[in-house]
Amino acid sequence: MDKRIPNLAEAIAGIPDGATVMIGGFGGSGAPIELIHALIDRYLATGSPRDLTVINNNAGNGHVGIAAMIEQGMVRKMVCSFPRSADPRVFTEKYLAGEIALELVPQGTLAERIRAGGAGIPAFYTPTSYGTDLARGKPVAEFDGRPYVQERWLKADVALIKAELGDHYGNLTYRMAARNFSPLMAMAAARTIAQVTRAVAPGGIDPEHVVTPGIFVSGIVEVANPAQEEALNRADAAYPPARPQEVQA
Amino acid sequence: MDKRIPNLAEAIAGIPDGATVMIGGFGGSGAPIELIHALIDRYLATGSPRDLTVINNNAGNGHVGIAAMIEQGMVRKMVCSFPRSADPRVFTEKYLAGEIALELVPQGTLAERIRAGGAGIPAFYTPTSYGTDLARGKPVAEFDGRPYVQERWLKADVALIKAELGDHYGNLTYRMAARNFSPLMAMAAARTIAQVTRAVAPGGIDPEHVVTPGIFVSGIVEVANPAQEEALNRADAAYPPARPQEVQA
Amino acid sequence: MTRKLTNAQIAWRAAQDIADGAYVNLGIGFPEMVAKFQPPGRQAVFHTENGVLGFGEAPPAGQEDWDLINAGKKAITLKPGAAFFHHADSFAMVRGGHLDVAILGAYQVAQNGDLANWSTGPKGVPAVGGAMDLVHGAKRVAVITDHVTKDGKPKLLEACTLPLTGVGCVTRVYTSLAVVDIEGGRFVLREKLPAISLDDLQAVTGARLHLDGAVGDLVVPEL
Amino acid sequence: MTRKLTNAQIAWRAAQDIADGAYVNLGIGFPEMVAKFQPPGRQAVFHTENGVLGFGEAPPAGQEDWDLINAGKKAITLKPGAAFFHHADSFAMVRGGHLDVAILGAYQVAQNGDLANWSTGPKGVPAVGGAMDLVHGAKRVAVITDHVTKDGKPKLLEACTLPLTGVGCVTRVYTSLAVVDIEGGRFVLREKLPAISLDDLQAVTGARLHLDGAVGDLVVPEL
């Protein structure tokens, strides 16, 4: 078994129109920028995939990563807890124009719903959001005299995540706070693709230090020097970058 | 802040009669033998704690560890998935004599109920045990056309666990498959005491490799060369060991 | 009664259906034997409920590390690319549908896929372990078993009489006489020992065996 | 209106109530300031929802590592004894009742402990983050806020009019004029600026301030 995928284009091939896609990252930390941009390349070349539902804590920042996906018109709906950022223009304009849907989920509920999807738990109860607008329409039950809201699992067709080390079996480690949602999304998607900063042979990760066991990972693709979304935005980057001839025209 | 406790007697002090105690370990791997035996010492000296409810995957093996607690009469009820072992005599005899209660829980449900206790989830749904005797009396609900059983969280007054490294803040690592239930129990108990094979200063564990963050741990006590329950049983050990004068008498 | 397969031979037959790279959980006891018979060129990744993925065979006697055991509490070894994790993550793998196949023993299997393999009744100390989790998690749940009980009674039945482990969960049964699929609430005979007649096989089976095309010969090596 | 505390002074006052070794989550923005004012000899352990326990102050400009940020997406540093974990474990800390205190900002607080701090109404893009989780998890949920809105309207009310973040969750409010506990569905005044009279304080408060023993002087250093 060898889960290595030779390049980004192959890694994101086969994600169909209308797919639900979980994308790792909290703000810029852990955002799999290269996988996202490869998906945009495919969309620009083929018109597919479109009508995507994207699950991420945020709704993009600036004009790279998820924001660029939204800007290109690939995204039908965002599921997130905090669709704001330093430069949330792309999402905000489409949202206010009614061109993109939003399911707003409290952050911890979002994390737990994704874990539930990965762990085979169709529903669970939480006090979070009880009595608020975000609990509207959800079943409520009392346990030991306290009211709780019933939340459903979240699953996805594909998860795109960023990891640090990845071995041929798909075992993963992460880098600092870039871990965030990725181990959960890896569990909850039918197919999980991880871009890894370094691919190593089996045995290259101490079994004690594996954060995501390979059973949750379908493929890894090495991206040796990954871009940091925050750094890109501080440099006013956009994707795809404006081409010289377009600038002139 | 320094969560180190100087000795075992102090570590297990204050566990009251009637307490619910989670004890880490799966069979002999991860069993906190020294903490358990310190608890037995206290019971033999003071008659307390007694009437304990013990949560562990198993119900003890041979005449050490949990089996010795049961043998001494400290345990009112076991919550476990597999109350059998190479030598389950102690539990079996008391159970068949009606002297100890048993709540039998499927292993994955046991793990998830403990995690739920630690994560603030009062109830969740699982397909496990649906349609079986172990689901009797539990609410059932259908999600997406499939039936599920509602399970409740499990919490404890105290968790006694065995870890490998522990720093002064209570951050823990484990050794191989000795990890098993311990990270979950640490979350689900009001007070968690870990015996650690090596206590290290803050910074002595890489933040990437912490398995149980210190927020879940109340105290650590160093036991430099911990006994292995399996090895004790293969040597026909018993606790407390028979004293020479008793053997003569 | 006719000659039948040994446990090793049943395990061998089950092992032939495991794909390269499959994630597999083998029940405690007899099913553990399946790991020995992976076809050349195929390598499954074995999962054990107590928190190890990618383990290998038992260490030589005297070299056991009792912190490194499987769900049957037997000492194991690690293969390169192994991982440790806690019990909730381990059962997320099981219950979240991430295992490709679980191979379990059985007291009884019913034609609707019900399985009884954890309790022989109300006497004694009950113990369930991870069996009820495994039957509702793995993508494919197969059973390996002698075709009949020690006293010759059928184990493949119209309905289980012993306490259930899971409802409608088994899809294939490898027995000492046959390979039987469970489809649409019926036993469908796929393979049988060449030496046993259909009538004789039906006679030791507690529910109707249906045919769906040709019945293959159940041929296994001497083991 | 009388002289009032600066944000830094409100944060300082809130910091005095945090015990040594407490596990603390500070809301995004103004509450983050509380970390600066821990009394000498006390060291809290700070938690951030995105998966870090035991972080320290911001790194010098130019030395940021954008994989090491807090929930406000600001660069942070680590202290010895820090730990990383994923979002579900992070919110298990929050929702499982493991944090000793969460200190949050507020648009409005009601006398029954209801908090509104995530939405100013239906226009614009809604965003909630971890606020709804924090209010139902921490053992103690405190609010720091100006006593009144920018246009002088009370923020401490009989009932919130803005969309709620949580029901009955706040137990103490540190304002620019006073320290107010919420007990039994009532505001109980604990401390007030010496320069403001009870009547004047009541006049800028949207619900009855109850007394329970002496009212202390809210005295803070120049900051």
Side-chain angles (χ1 to χ4, degrees):
Chain A
M1 181 170 44
D2 189 341
K3 296 184 178 177
R4 284 177 299 175
I5 305 172
N7 58 61
L8 287 160
E10 213 169 294
I12 55 82
I15 299 177
D17 290 351
T20 295
V21 184
M22 290 178 175
I23 301 183
F26 177 86
S29 70
I33 290 291
E34 285 76 9
L35 282 171
I36 297 171
H37 289 178
L39 203 61
I40 293 173
D41 288 347
R42 189 184 133 202
Y43 174 74
L44 291 175
T46 69
S48 182
R50 58 186 302 132
D51 294 326
L52 299 176
T53 295
V54 171
I55 301 172
N56 178 271
N57 189 65
N58 307 101
N61 191 10
H63 300 272
V64 297
I66 291 173
M69 284 178 73
I70 295 170
E71 194 158 32
Q72 296 298 334
M74 300 166 69
V75 183
R76 188 182 64 76
K77 180 184 177 184
M78 290 297 310
V79 180
C80 53
S81 90
F82 206 80
R84 273 191 220 143
S85 58
D87 176 7
R89 235 178 311 168
V90 166
F91 176 80
T92 301
E93 283 169 15
K94 287 214 193 260
Y95 177 77
L96 296 179
E99 290 166 20
I100 194 166
L102 170 65
E103 179 180 345
L104 190 71
V105 183
Q107 194 171 336
T109 295
L110 181 62
E112 193 63 31
R113 287 179 63 192
I114 297 170
R115 181 191 176 272
I121 295 169
F124 61 90
Y125 290 92
T126 176
T128 295
S129 93
Y130 174 75
T132 76
D133 292 353
L134 297 190
R136 223 172 257 164
K138 294 182 176 171
V140 166
E142 207 168 278
F143 296 95
D144 308 330
R146 192 174 167 190
Y148 294 88
V149 178
Q150 186 192 90
E151 294 282 356
R152 295 296 312 277
W153 62 15
L154 263 181
K155 296 190 180 205
D157 300 301
V158 182
L160 302 178
I161 62 173
K162 180 183 187 176
E164 182 68 4
L165 300 182
D167 73 16
H168 302 185
Y169 286 9
N171 293 303
L172 304 177
T173 69
Y174 301 89
R175 185 167 182 274
M176 301 199 285
R179 187 183 303 195
N180 55 68
F181 285 92
S182 297
L184 310 172
M185 292 177 168
M187 296 167 67
R191 193 152 74 90
T192 293
I193 307 297
Q195 66 169 73
V196 303
T197 304
R198 194 152 65 87
V200 297
I205 305 175
D206 185 333
E208 302 279 11
H209 300 160
V210 170
V211 177
T212 292
I215 192 171
F216 297 128
V217 177
S218 316
I220 65 166
V221 55
E222 191 176 72
V223 177
N225 292 296
Q228 228 294 347
E229 185 186 281
E230 185 73 24
L232 292 179
N233 278 320
R234 281 164 188 259
D236 284 327
Y239 198 86
R243 291 179 203 149
Q245 66 270 31
E246 288 176 352
V247 173
Q248 284 182 317
Chain B
M1 182 170 44
D2 190 342
K3 296 184 177 176
R4 283 176 300 174
I5 305 172
N7 58 61
L8 287 159
E10 212 169 294
I12 54 81
I15 299 176
D17 290 352
T20 295
V21 183
M22 290 178 175
I23 300 184
F26 176 87
S29 70
I33 290 291
E34 285 77 9
L35 281 171
I36 297 171
H37 288 178
L39 203 60
I40 292 173
D41 288 347
R42 189 184 134 205
Y43 174 74
L44 291 175
T46 70
S48 183
R50 58 186 303 130
D51 294 326
L52 299 175
T53 294
V54 171
I55 300 171
N56 178 270
N57 189 66
N58 307 102
N61 191 11
H63 300 272
V64 297
I66 290 174
M69 285 178 73
I70 294 170
E71 195 158 31
Q72 296 298 334
M74 300 167 68
V75 183
R76 190 182 62 76
K77 180 184 177 185
M78 290 296 310
V79 179
C80 53
S81 89
F82 207 81
R84 274 190 218 143
S85 59
D87 176 7
R89 238 178 309 169
V90 166
F91 176 80
T92 302
E93 284 169 15
K94 286 213 191 261
Y95 177 76
L96 296 179
E99 291 166 21
I100 194 166
L102 171 66
E103 180 180 345
L104 189 71
V105 183
Q107 195 172 335
T109 295
L110 181 62
E112 193 64 30
R113 287 178 64 191
I114 297 170
R115 181 190 176 274
I121 294 168
F124 61 89
Y125 289 94
T126 176
T128 296
S129 92
Y130 173 76
T132 76
D133 292 353
L134 296 191
R136 223 172 257 162
K138 293 183 177 172
V140 166
E142 206 169 278
F143 296 96
D144 308 331
R146 193 176 168 188
Y148 294 88
V149 178
Q150 186 192 92
E151 295 282 356
R152 295 295 311 278
W153 62 15
L154 263 182
K155 297 191 180 204
D157 300 301
V158 181
L160 301 179
I161 63 173
K162 179 184 187 177
E164 182 68 4
L165 300 182
D167 74 16
H168 303 185
Y169 286 8
N171 293 302
L172 303 177
T173 69
Y174 300 89
R175 184 165 183 273
M176 302 199 286
R179 187 182 303 194
N180 56 68
F181 285 91
S182 297
L184 310 171
M185 291 177 168
M187 296 167 67
R191 193 152 73 90
T192 292
I193 307 298
Q195 65 169 75
V196 304
T197 304
R198 195 152 64 88
V200 297
I205 305 175
D206 185 332
E208 302 279 12
H209 300 161
V210 170
V211 176
T212 292
I215 192 171
F216 297 128
V217 178
S218 315
I220 64 167
V221 55
E222 191 175 72
V223 177
N225 292 297
Q228 230 293 348
E229 184 186 282
E230 185 73 23
L232 292 178
N233 278 319
R234 281 165 188 256
D236 284 326
Y239 199 85
R243 290 177 205 152
Q245 65 270 28
E246 290 176 352
V247 174
Q248 283 182 315
Chain C
M1 203 177 128
T2 185
R3 197 183 72 85
K4 58 170 193 158
L5 300 187
T6 62
N7 278 359
Q9 288 175 311
I10 301 172
W12 181 91
R13 177 59 191 87
Q16 306 314 299
D17 289 346
I18 299 176
D20 184 43
Y23 290 95
V24 180
N25 185 294
L26 302 175
I28 294 173
F30 167 27
E32 292 177 38
M33 207 185 274
V34 171
K36 290 202 289 196
F37 299 117
Q38 287 184 83
R42 288 194 226 161
Q43 201 181 356
V45 180
F46 293 101
H47 168 269
T48 183
E49 299 94 293
N50 54 315
V52 190
L53 194 67
F55 66 92
E57 54 203 41
Q63 291 180 38
E64 298 90 351
D65 183 325
W66 296 109
D67 283 348
L68 184 55
I69 59 175
N70 66 11
K73 299 183 181 94
K74 297 193 191 75
I76 54 175
T77 54
L78 292 185
K79 293 186 174 178
F84 295 117
F85 33 84
H86 63 50
H87 249 76
D89 282 350
S90 184
F91 280 91
M93 294 175 192
V94 172
R95 294 151 55 128
H98 303 282
L99 292 173
D100 293 298
V101 56
I103 299 181
L104 305 172
Y107 298 143
Q108 299 177 332
V109 184
Q111 61 189 353
N112 67 347
D114 286 2
L115 172 67
N117 80 345
W118 76 281
S119 170
T120 52
K123 66 179 192 312
V125 176
V128 65
M132 287 189 182
D133 305 288
L134 284 164
V135 298
H136 285 300
K139 287 170 194 150
R140 190 163 80 81
V141 175
V143 155
I144 56 176
T145 178
D146 205 299
H147 202 86
V148 297
T149 63
K150 287 212 176 78
D151 49 358
K153 295 206 180 92
K155 298 182 82 166
L156 278 65
L157 302 171
E158 288 186 354
C160 295
T161 58
L162 290 172
L164 293 185
T165 307
V167 171
C169 51
V170 177
T171 56
R172 175 164 273 206
V173 187
Y174 303 94
T175 81
S176 48
L177 301 176
V179 177
V180 176
D181 280 345
I182 291 169
E183 289 178 2
R186 310 183 312 167
F187 286 128
V188 178
L189 180 64
R190 295 295 173 195
E191 298 174 15
K192 67 173 184 58
L193 288 183
I196 192 171
S197 72
L198 255 175
D199 283 352
D200 287 351
L201 184 65
Q202 183 64 70
V204 292
T205 306
R208 176 76 182 280
L209 289 170
H210 295 263
L211 302 185
D212 172 24
V215 175
D217 282 345
L218 175 53
V219 179
V220 306
E222 289 304 314
L223 290 169
Chain D
M1 201 176 128
T2 183
R3 197 183 73 85
K4 57 170 195 158
L5 299 187
T6 63
N7 277 358
Q9 289 174 310
I10 301 171
W12 180 92
R13 177 61 192 86
Q16 306 314 300
D17 290 346
I18 299 176
D20 183 42
Y23 290 95
V24 180
N25 185 293
L26 301 174
I28 293 174
F30 166 28
E32 292 177 39
M33 206 185 275
V34 171
K36 289 201 291 195
F37 299 116
Q38 287 182 86
R42 289 194 226 160
Q43 201 182 354
V45 180
F46 292 101
H47 168 269
T48 182
E49 298 95 292
N50 54 315
V52 190
L53 194 67
F55 67 92
E57 53 203 40
Q63 290 180 37
E64 299 90 351
D65 182 328
W66 296 110
D67 283 347
L68 185 54
I69 59 176
N70 66 11
K73 298 181 181 98
K74 296 193 191 76
I76 54 175
T77 54
L78 293 185
K79 293 187 174 178
F84 296 116
F85 33 83
H86 63 51
H87 248 76
D89 282 349
S90 184
F91 279 91
M93 293 174 193
V94 172
R95 295 152 52 129
H98 304 281
L99 292 173
D100 293 298
V101 56
I103 299 182
L104 306 171
Y107 298 142
Q108 299 176 332
V109 184
Q111 61 189 355
N112 66 348
D114 287 1
L115 172 67
N117 80 344
W118 76 281
S119 169
T120 52
K123 68 181 190 310
V125 177
V128 65
M132 286 189 182
D133 305 289
L134 283 164
V135 297
H136 285 300
K139 285 170 195 150
R140 191 163 78 82
V141 176
V143 155
I144 56 175
T145 178
D146 207 298
H147 201 87
V148 298
T149 65
K150 287 212 175 77
D151 49 358
K153 296 208 179 88
K155 298 182 84 167
L156 279 63
L157 303 171
E158 290 186 353
C160 295
T161 58
L162 290 171
L164 292 185
T165 306
V167 171
C169 51
V170 177
T171 54
R172 174 163 273 205
V173 186
Y174 303 94
T175 81
S176 48
L177 302 177
V179 176
V180 176
D181 281 345
I182 291 169
E183 289 178 1
R186 310 183 312 167
F187 287 128
V188 179
L189 181 64
R190 295 294 175 196
E191 298 175 15
K192 68 170 184 58
L193 287 184
I196 192 172
S197 72
L198 256 176
D199 284 352
D200 286 351
L201 184 64
Q202 183 64 70
V204 292
T205 306
R208 176 77 182 281
L209 289 169
H210 295 263
L211 302 186
D212 171 24
V215 175
D217 282 345
L218 176 52
V219 179
V220 307
E222 289 303 316
L223 291 168

